Amino acid sequence: MAAVSAAAARHLLCVVVAVAALLIGGGEASVHEYRGLGFLNKGNAFILHAGSEGLYAPPVPSSANATAEDDEDAAAAAAVDDAFIRFDKITIRRPEDAAKETGSAMVQILVFEIEDREMIGGSAYGGQKAICCTSDLAKLGACTEGSVIYRPSQVNPGWPQLFVASFDGSDPIATLPSRVIPITKTGMYNMYFIHCDPSLAGLEIEGQTIWKNPTGYLPGRMAPLKNFFGIMSLAFVVLGIYWFYQYMKFWREVLPLQNCITLVITLGMLEMSLWYFEYAEFNETGVRPKGITFWAVTFGTVKRTVARVIILIVSMGYGVVKPSLGGLTSKVVMLGGTFFLATEILELVENLGAVNDLSGKARLFLVYPVAILDAAFVVWIFISLAKTLDKLQARRSMAKLDIYRKFTIALAVTVLVSVGWIGYEIYFKSTDVFNERWQYAWIIPAFWHVLSFSLLCVISYLWAPSQNSMRFTYDASENFDREDSLSLIRPGPIASKNGWSLSSSPDTKATKNVTVTSFDEDDEENKRE
């Protein structure tokens, strides 16, 4: 069994390292790199999604004596410095054969805020909406044939914005000059590379775009999480101070379970600290520090796995009503290892893949295994808790029963709140198809951290080291049920002074039809008499 577990652990580590190696070469956070990406055919257009992020407008300095024109100039200057989208060395290549056959052609770059999505595309006679201008629309004078159809926004003047990279003659390379788009309005901004010529097959795009918020390079949806992780780091420090104070004060009474809780608190402190420094570095440079990200993900996954395994074995009564898990040990290890693998891969894909505020549906493939394994933990935990509570009730171990009841209530409340929040999360995402509520999206992952921390606080309070910690340990004298312990001791009849025959055995009759049955403390008193 040990050899099999060691081999499984090595295989698990190899899989995680392989996934990390593949993803570390992925997206660069707010720096969107384009290399080896292909265009998709959508209607009469060929489209490449180049990025989608929430951007905040910088605060506009105002002056009582400033004119409206001065305010506009100041706003534009501040936007260039603080919030912008920048094109950096965008190069588009086409095959030489296609260049000779096609001649002059162009690729257009469309940038728009999500509220202006209805300004994109059009139709000649109320038919299917087209993105590229058709001959019918060109005859109506609505657009130029072969170009992207868009109308100026009435709400956001100057938007959408369209840029063109042209192939001159048979030139195989088209370049887009470096330029900066200032952001003066908070919103979800989208960028698409579009061409309308079917002969431009096999285009290759190289370069990058850089998206920046006023406070740094963190995408708008992620920016509030930086301060959140800073607060959570302080919260874990406060919990750690309380726990380690109790631990050092009653170190002679510490149980193995309390050592496990110490490990979870330590992992939580490391995880929150790493996430804070990861977000701070990301915000400063615009490039995600993949080493810090990998360890933050790994520490978080280890913490969640260890926490679930600890809750499961405590629910089984390990160290309280039974000295070991017996044959269940391998099953617990297998469930924990599988959960670690599935969660680690999901988190690495989410955090080391290309950062994009428009989530991909393909990632649902990785979410389902984690959800199923989480459900397996919950079901197993509550089945085990029910059995443990029955045993403690039968043995009348009131101190242990009381703490297990409180533990059960805390878990039940956590599960109910989790189910409710999952329902809200589904509602939130299903009703926000275009990510228009991106400014509040950070609350969803933040809530899960707060919920798990709250449960950890409750467990730390219930199982805190104290001078009475040993009363919750497994006691060998409680190993048998009451009926078994009585049936193992069958003393013979005891003759009394009055000639009565007394017996504690149920199948031994007294001489004068009197049977005396002893229970617990009374049994010891009868023996002394």
Side-chain angles (χ1 to χ4, degrees), residues 237-257:
V237 168
V238 173
L239 177 61
I241 291 173
Y242 161 76
W243 181 264
F244 289 117
Y245 172 77
Q246 295 293 113
Y247 191 97
M248 296 302 296
K249 184 177 180 180
F250 303 104
W251 65 273
R252 298 179 187 271
E253 308 291 329
V254 170
L255 307 176
L257 169 63

Side-chain angles (χ1 to χ4, degrees), residues 128-140:
Q128 184 178 2
K129 198 172 186 179
I131 296 177
C132 291
C133 184
T134 62
S135 57
D136 291 337
L137 284 170
K139 291 177 182 179
L140 295 174

Side-chain angles (χ1 to χ4, degrees), residues 55 77 109 133 164 167 216 247 274 383 404 407 435 437 440 500:
L55 296 174
I109 299 91
C133 184
V164 177
F167 293 98
Y247 191 97
L274 284 171
I383 290 175
Y404 262 85
F407 180 59
N435 283 345
R437 296 198 295 266
Y440 309 103
W500 292 70

Side-chain angles (χ1 to χ4, degrees), residues 453-467:
F453 177 76
S454 301
L455 180 59
L456 180 58
C457 288
V458 173
I459 293 174
S460 300
Y461 172 75
L462 293 177
W463 300 94
S466 66
Q467 58 185 1

